[in-house]
Structure formats: structure tokens, C-alpha cells
Amino acid sequence: MRIGLGSDHNAFDMKESVKSYIKELGHEVIDYGCHSCSEVDYPEVAFEVGQDIMKNKLDRGILCCGTGIGVAIAAGKVPGIRAALCHDTYSAERAQLSNSAQILTMGAKVIGVEVAKQVVKVYLESHFSGGNSGRKVQQITDKEQEFLKGESAPHEKTYK
């Protein structure tokens, strides 16, 4: 598989370790940055990975930041993307089996590198098969399309 990988500065070391591990598992890795421990904002990295998944340039994505929450929220703003925050193997497996999540997110300040590798392995080995979960994923997709068309769109706050 072609895996897009990205992080902010808080998770740079984890990203680098996970990158080597994904290659050991036999997958191709496209590194979206960051490329050092210098401070960088994660949204643009998450947006790029999400967009490239939607353009079929990537099979899946893995994003890391301090908690994994920010990159999950940012990636989830890309229409069609389902990003799942997982810090254990069961959640990583269910992210695929139940939710067809194209992006796995993790927090470098929450779990260590060895646990992250286990989570990544299970996530990459799991595959969505539809069934009852397919119906639920379709409901999410349908509602997202309604929101994008402006139908029943919630009012969002603006932050500055």
C-alpha cells in the first residue's frame, strides 16, 4: 500500500520511527512532513494527506501530533475523509473493520513508539468488509454530502 505519513514537531520522532517500521512491513511511505523538530502547525499536513487520499494518490494515511486529536479533527475536515484516533490495537482494528477509516491518528505524548508500531501494524492489516458497518458508513457519507450542499448545515463558530 501507499501510505501518507505526517506529523507536527511534537510527533516528529514518532513519525520517523513509524516511517521506518511501515517500510519494514513492505509498504511505500510518502512523507508529508514535518521534517525536523522545529515548530510547525499540523493542519496543512493533515489536509494534504486527506486530499491525496481523496485523489487516490494514497491508500491510507497516518498522522501524529502531541495528542492525535488535532490531526484527526483537521483531516476530518477534508470531505470524504474518516480519521480515527487510536492508541490501542483494538481501536485500530475497529477503525478499519467498522468505520473504513482512511486515516489513523496517534498522539506522541500519549503512547510510546513501540505501542504506535503495534497500532500501525494492526491498522494496516485490517480491511473494511462492509456488512452492517457499510450501512452506517454510508449514512455518514450521505449526511456529509447534505452538509456540503448546505442542507441542514449546522452553524459553526469562527475562531480567531
Side-chain angles (χ1 to χ4, degrees):
M1 282 190 280
R2 256 176 94 95
I3 310 299
L5 183 62
S7 74
D8 70 358
H9 56 286
N10 290 306
F12 173 73
D13 292 334
M14 176 181 277
K15 178 190 67 96
E16 291 299 303
S17 295
V18 166
K19 178 169 55 175
S20 296
Y21 184 66
I22 294 169
K23 288 178 181 179
E24 286 175 28
L25 294 174
H27 302 286
E28 181 181 357
V29 177
I30 311 302
D31 189 338
Y32 286 76
C34 68
H35 301 289
S36 74
C37 289
S38 298
E39 188 169 342
V40 63
D41 294 339
Y42 58 76
E44 192 57 39
V45 173
F47 298 149
E48 286 183 45
V49 171
Q51 288 172 327
D52 280 355
I53 288 172
M54 294 312 297
K55 292 176 184 174
N56 294 314
K57 292 181 180 180
L58 300 170
D59 297 302
R60 294 198 196 164
I62 298 172
L63 297 170
C64 306
C65 66
T67 62
I69 297 168
V71 288
I73 292 170
K77 295 297 181 183
V78 177
I81 289 297
R82 290 174 303 282
L85 171 62
C86 301
H87 290 133
D88 60 85
T89 56
Y90 180 74
S91 297
E93 179 184 52
R94 297 318 307 174
Q96 260 309 300
L97 296 180
S98 295
N99 303 110
S100 189
Q102 306 103 316
I103 297 178
L104 167 72
T105 74
M106 298 180 290
K109 293 183 177 186
V110 179
I111 59 172
V113 171
E114 293 309 311
V115 172
K117 289 177 184 179
Q118 293 171 10
V119 169
V120 164
K121 184 177 191 303
V122 169
Y123 172 72
L124 294 177
E125 290 176 346
S126 300
H127 300 281
F128 185 67
S129 60
N132 288 337
S133 294
R135 182 180 69 249
K136 297 167 195 167
V137 170
Q138 189 61 54
Q139 290 171 18
I140 294 166
T141 301
D142 292 346
K143 184 54 76 174
E144 178 181 48
Q145 290 304 308
E146 285 181 30
F147 287 147
L148 289 171
K149 292 176 186 172
E151 301 168 16
S152 31
H155 182 270
E156 270 198 45
K157 289 184 177 182
T158 303
Y159 299 92
K160 294 184 184 190

